[in-house]
Structures are given as structure tokens and as C-alpha cells.
Amino acid sequence: MYHVIRCSGRKGYQRKKYRQDVLFGHSGPAERYKYDSVIMSEPDSSPTTLAPKTNRGELTRQKILDAAEREIGQKGFAEASVSAITAEAAVAQGTFYLYFRNKEDVLRELVLRMGRRLRRHLTLAIADANSRLEAERAGLLAFLEFARANPNLYRVVEESQFVDPSVYHRYYDDFARNYRSALIAAEGTGEIRPGNAEIRAWALMGLAVMLGHRYGIWDTSVPLKPIADAAFDMIAVGLERRDER
Amino acid sequence: MYHVIRCSGRKGYQRKKYRQDVLFGHSGPAERYKYDSVIMSEPDSSPTTLAPKTNRGELTRQKILDAAEREIGQKGFAEASVSAITAEAAVAQGTFYLYFRNKEDVLRELVLRMGRRLRRHLTLAIADANSRLEAERAGLLAFLEFARANPNLYRVVEESQFVDPSVYHRYYDDFARNYRSALIAAEGTGEIRPGNAEIRAWALMGLAVMLGHRYGIWDTSVPLKPIADAAFDMIAVGLERRDER
DNA sequence: TATCAACATGACACTTGATTCATGTATCAT
DNA sequence: ATGATACATGAATCAAGTGTCATGTTGATA
């Protein structure tokens, strides 16, 4: 014996404001939702009630994530609606909220995904470089190739800057930290000239990001190898004319 | 003798979709709204009916633009509402639509404003450099200073990428073109090593943009001179260790 | 001081789309 | 089978703004 009334008494419906201060107004602990742990590691350990507990659930979650990557990557965060994402994923709207608290949440997750995939890609590409400079050249090329192959993820990361600056910063900070260490190590072995590794790391990232945008996303026709080589040449040798002698 | 009826018969209300294909669905000529002409020049010559025709109008327009710069710069495009902008500008909501067709329009205008101001700033900063490399160093520092002094405009430009990719591209393309010319000229005089000027230009812009974000916007406390110097050192001399003798 | 563009106002009609929730369906251990 | 738990559904709700328009107000010009 049950009631046939559907969706009548609402209750505390209250739209959350996107971004800024009171990001997730109510739940205190949710604030730390897996950031500190997962960003550098592989497996997903979610402390909230949102993580799927079965294989079926994980599959659905991935379907939604994939759909979101395409939708947000192509239309942008604002234009990509949850309904479009769920339609694309072939699940009901409500299913979305089984795995994500809101649209921001998927975006955050996608930034992490990008971080993991890119890191893996770069690690492989650099694996058999014999020097830092060689790694630099290979890494740059690999980055450009990754950008061209994953324009959606690429855009998602850039857009995260405006949706949740903190993930965006964390994303770059992570890469910067690693980069910096690598440069310092290379200084130590005398492979490169001593210099400010921190600033060099950010400068090199910026260089890669812009070229990735310009030649990976924007202009997808030109071959990437010459681009990487030309940029590498500047990085390695500098603009200054070397005196003949 | 007039009627007291207010706002009754609506009519063809029809929300426009932001961005993409049918950017401004109805009016054909509006499509070309001043892009080709104004982007590089100073004065505002607007072919539509939106341009103010009196001094009073121009003043109001500027008030709105200033308010929009702050609102969009701080809250981001999505969060910045037209009503908040007009409130900040101390004008009525309807006044907004006297000068701009929609929120996108102001953003576009702000990107142009950024372009003009930055160009002027850089031109002045570079004015008395005696070589391309000196100009490079001075320009980089000036850029970082500009970014730190104009965080709102800086963010607006970055966000334009997702609101109207074409203005964003035009913005960078303009700078790239100039930059490229300067590099080619410097090659000609033997001030710098020959190389791919196009790619160098984009690489250098990317480097500046990232450092501007990192040390101009994100971390506003560190002094900028050392940053510019360190980055310049890498640009000029390169990472490669120079063999002694 | 009459006239008329240009400028300004602000209430509100109208959409959009995020989020919730009452209800259903798989799946699996016992 | 039974029950429990996880997963899934999608119609309904409702806050948030955008863009419009009927009506005032300014101020320059004749």
C-alpha cells in the first residue's frame, strides 16, 4: 500500500552557486573530496557516497565521463548541459547525480583524467632519452601530439581555470614540480646550464601549452615534428647569436 | 494623453544561443561588426546602430565597459550577470542593450581594449631598447607588470577563448604577427640566430602568458624583475651548457 | 521655448536547465 | 525464493537571468 503522489513536496531546494568561496556550502568533509590523494596516484579512492560500488556502476560512471569529455570539450562548460551529457551517455538525467554532485564535479574529474593520461604519455615518450635535452625535445613533441589527439581534454583543462581555479592550479603545479626536479637533477649532472629551475619549468610549460593550442588544437594540419624541433632549438641554444670562434 | 499599460504584449522573444555557428542568427551585416577594422586601430568606428552618438552616450558606454571588466574579471563570464554589471555601472538594465547586443558583445569589446592597452604598454616599454634581445627582456618584464596590474582584463582575454574563439585567436594572431616581423628583422641585422620566427613568436608568447598567469595573477607577491631576468636568460642563451672554450 | 533625437529607465514575460525524488529494476548472497 | 543493496529512471520543480518595451528625461538646435 503506497501513495501515488509523485514529486510533490519539494523541500530545501537550493541552487548552489558555481565556484567561489562557499563551493560546497553544506558538507564540510566533502570539500577535501579526494584531491590530496588521487591527483598523483592512479586508483580512485572516493571517500564520499558517490563512488560506484559495483562493476556495473563503474561502467556507467565511465560512460558519463566519456560523454562529458566530448560534450564539454566541444561545446564548452556553459553550453554543455547535464541533459545533453546524459543523453550522449544514454542514461537518465538522475543517473548523473548518482556519481557526480554537479556539473563542476565531472569537470574536476576530467582534469584529473587528463593529468593521468598526459603524465603516462609523457613518461613513455621520454623513457629512452639519454639526456635532459633529449627528453625535452621528445617531451615537447609528445605533448603536441597528445594535444592534437585529445583536443577535448585539452580544452576541458583550460576551461577548468574558470570553473574551479584550484584544480587548474593543482594540475599545473603538479607538472611544474616534477619538471623543476628534473631540471635541477640535470643541472646537477651538468647536462644543462645552471639557472632558476622553478621559472624555467613554468616558462617551458607555457611554451608547450601555447604551441599545443596553436598547432595541436587550432591548426591541426601542419606536421608537429618541425614545430617541436624549432621550439627545441630555441630552448636549447637560445636566441642570442653565438660568436664564430 | 497616453496609456498606462506597461510591458504587455511581448512578441518574438527568442533567446540566442551563445557562441557557435549561428552566432547572431538574424542580422546578416551585424556579423561583421567591426572586427576587420578596429582590431588594430585605435578609434571605435561602429557600423551598427549600437554606437553612442553623443558624448553622454560614450561616457555611459565606458561606465558599462569598466563595470563589465571588473565583474567578468572577478566572477568569470558565466557568473557575471548583466544585471550585476549594470548595477555596478549604476545604470538601468535596459541601458546595457543600448550599447551591447548581449554579454558576449562586451567581452569581445574588452578583448579589444586589452589588446590596445597592452600594445601601447609594450611599445612604450620597448621604445628605448637598443637591440632585439634588450627589447625582449624589457618586453617580458613589461608584460608581467601589465598582467599584475590588470588581472581582470587578463582573465577576460583568457576566458574569451570559450566565449568567442575567433576574437581570442585574432587577439593572439595580431601579437604573433608583429612579434614574428620583429624577429625576422632582428635576424636580418644579425642580432639573433636565424630560426623559425613564426614558431618562436608563439613559443615566446606562450612563455610570457604562463609566467604572467603564474607570477602576475596567481602569485602577486614575488618581485617580477628576477622572474623576467631568469626567463630571459633561458630565452637568450638556452639551456644547453656552453663548452668552456 | 519648442522640437526631436538620443539616451535612460525598470518591471516583467519568458526560457533554460540544474537538481530532486518517488518509484522502479538488476544483481547477488543466503 | 527472499531480501537487501546498488543502480536507474525521468517528470516535476523552481531559481536565475536575459532581453524587451512602453514610457520618461536630456540637451542640443532652431
Side-chain angles (χ1 to χ4, degrees):
Chain A
M1 171 244 291
Y2 53 82
H3 310 278
V4 195
I5 322 131
R6 302 181 126 262
C7 303
S8 45
R10 187 41 38 76
K11 194 176 53 181
Y13 179 92
Q14 195 178 284
R15 175 167 299 203
K16 277 177 295 264
K17 291 206 70 76
Y18 288 139
R19 71 209 308 275
Q20 221 85 43
D21 322 309
V22 204
L23 207 49
F24 304 110
H26 45 310
S27 61
E31 183 72 48
R32 276 188 310 291
Y33 182 57
K34 84 157 93 158
Y35 284 170
D36 295 323
S37 54
V38 159
I39 191 123
M40 287 298 285
S41 59
E42 288 303 294
D44 275 51
S45 59
S46 307
T48 61
T49 54
L50 293 173
K53 315 211 154 152
T54 69
N55 198 47
R56 178 163 67 122
E58 182 54 35
L59 246 49
T60 304
R61 197 185 121 101
Q62 287 303 324
K63 276 205 302 182
I64 295 173
L65 227 30
D66 290 341
E69 179 181 323
R70 271 166 297 183
E71 285 291 316
I72 299 180
Q74 280 164 25
K75 302 182 184 170
F77 185 77
E79 289 291 310
S81 64
V82 170
S83 51
I85 292 172
T86 51
E88 169 92 16
V91 298
Q93 287 218 61
T95 306
F96 181 93
Y97 295 92
L98 245 37
Y99 304 106
F100 306 97
R101 276 166 310 180
N102 48 45
K103 226 167 57 165
E104 283 191 338
D105 237 20
V106 241
L107 188 127
R108 267 189 282 274
E109 197 55 39
L110 288 174
V111 173
L112 298 184
R113 170 184 273 202
M114 169 76 165
R116 288 191 294 265
R117 292 191 182 171
L118 179 53
R119 222 177 313 273
R120 193 178 314 143
H121 186 75
L122 291 179
T123 304
L124 289 175
I126 288 176
D128 40 40
N130 295 313
S131 71
R132 183 64 225 166
L133 285 176
E134 225 178 272
E136 213 58 52
R137 186 209 294 270
L140 182 52
L141 178 58
F143 179 81
L144 298 180
E145 281 166 345
F146 187 88
R148 186 172 282 181
N150 301 270
N152 291 336
L153 270 185
Y154 197 91
R155 286 196 208 94
V156 164
V157 169
E158 287 311 301
E159 192 147 18
S160 74
Q161 181 179 171
F162 302 101
V163 177
D164 185 340
S166 74
V167 261
Y168 179 76
H169 284 158
R170 239 178 263 256
Y171 172 86
Y172 276 111
D173 232 15
D174 264 8
F175 279 102
R177 217 182 342 268
N178 289 340
Y179 215 149
R180 181 169 160 281
S181 304
L183 290 174
I184 289 176
E187 271 182 43
T189 62
E191 290 175 78
I192 63 174
R193 282 176 48 237
N196 189 320
E198 172 84 13
I199 291 166
R200 282 176 170 181
W202 285 93
L204 291 169
M205 288 199 305
L207 179 151
V209 167
M210 180 64 90
L211 291 178
H213 191 96
R214 173 67 181 77
Y215 297 103
I217 310 294
W218 185 8
D219 183 340
T220 57
S221 61
V222 292
L224 297 174
K225 185 72 164 49
I227 311 281
D229 286 343
F232 174 76
D233 167 75
M234 185 181 81
I235 293 168
V237 188
L239 293 175
E240 197 171 273
R241 200 181 44 153
R242 294 189 170 224
D243 285 345
E244 54 289 354
R245 145 114 339 268
Chain B
M1 173 243 288
Y2 53 81
H3 310 279
V4 198
I5 322 130
R6 303 181 127 263
C7 301
S8 45
R10 189 41 39 76
K11 196 176 53 181
Y13 179 93
Q14 195 177 283
R15 175 168 299 199
K16 277 177 297 260
K17 290 206 69 73
Y18 287 141
R19 71 211 309 278
Q20 222 85 43
D21 321 309
V22 204
L23 207 49
F24 304 110
H26 46 312
S27 60
E31 183 71 50
R32 276 187 310 290
Y33 182 58
K34 83 158 95 158
Y35 284 170
D36 295 324
S37 54
V38 159
I39 192 121
M40 286 298 285
S41 58
E42 287 304 291
D44 275 50
S45 60
S46 305
T48 60
T49 54
L50 293 173
K53 316 214 153 152
T54 68
N55 199 47
R56 178 163 67 120
E58 182 54 35
L59 246 48
T60 305
R61 197 185 120 100
Q62 288 302 324
K63 276 205 302 183
I64 295 174
L65 228 28
D66 290 341
E69 179 181 323
R70 270 165 298 183
E71 284 292 315
I72 299 181
Q74 280 164 26
K75 302 183 186 171
F77 186 76
E79 289 292 309
S81 65
V82 170
S83 51
I85 292 172
T86 52
E88 169 92 16
V91 298
Q93 285 216 59
T95 306
F96 181 93
Y97 296 92
L98 245 36
Y99 304 107
F100 306 98
R101 276 166 309 180
N102 47 46
K103 227 167 56 165
E104 283 191 338
D105 236 20
V106 240
L107 187 127
R108 267 189 282 273
E109 197 55 41
L110 288 175
V111 173
L112 297 184
R113 170 184 274 202
M114 169 76 164
R116 289 191 293 267
R117 292 191 183 171
L118 178 53
R119 224 179 310 275
R120 194 178 313 141
H121 187 75
L122 291 180
T123 304
L124 289 175
I126 288 177
D128 40 41
N130 294 315
S131 70
R132 182 64 225 166
L133 286 176
E134 226 176 273
E136 212 59 51
R137 185 207 296 268
L140 181 52
L141 178 58
F143 179 81
L144 298 181
E145 282 167 345
F146 187 88
R148 186 172 281 180
N150 301 271
N152 291 337
L153 271 184
Y154 197 91
R155 287 195 208 93
V156 164
V157 170
E158 288 310 302
E159 192 147 18
S160 74
Q161 181 180 170
F162 302 101
V163 178
D164 184 340
S166 73
V167 262
Y168 179 77
H169 285 157
R170 240 177 262 256
Y171 172 87
Y172 277 111
D173 232 15
D174 264 7
F175 279 103
R177 217 181 343 266
N178 290 338
Y179 215 149
R180 182 170 160 281
S181 304
L183 290 174
I184 289 176
E187 272 182 43
T189 63
E191 289 175 78
I192 63 174
R193 282 176 48 239
N196 189 320
E198 173 83 13
I199 291 165
R200 281 176 171 180
W202 285 94
L204 291 168
M205 288 199 306
L207 179 152
V209 167
M210 180 64 90
L211 291 178
H213 191 94
R214 173 65 181 77
Y215 297 104
I217 310 294
W218 184 9
D219 183 340
T220 57
S221 62
V222 292
L224 296 174
K225 185 73 164 50
I227 311 284
D229 286 344
F232 174 77
D233 167 74
M234 185 180 82
I235 293 168
V237 188
L239 293 175
E240 198 172 273
R241 198 180 46 153
R242 294 187 170 226
D243 285 345
E244 52 290 352
R245 161 104 338 262

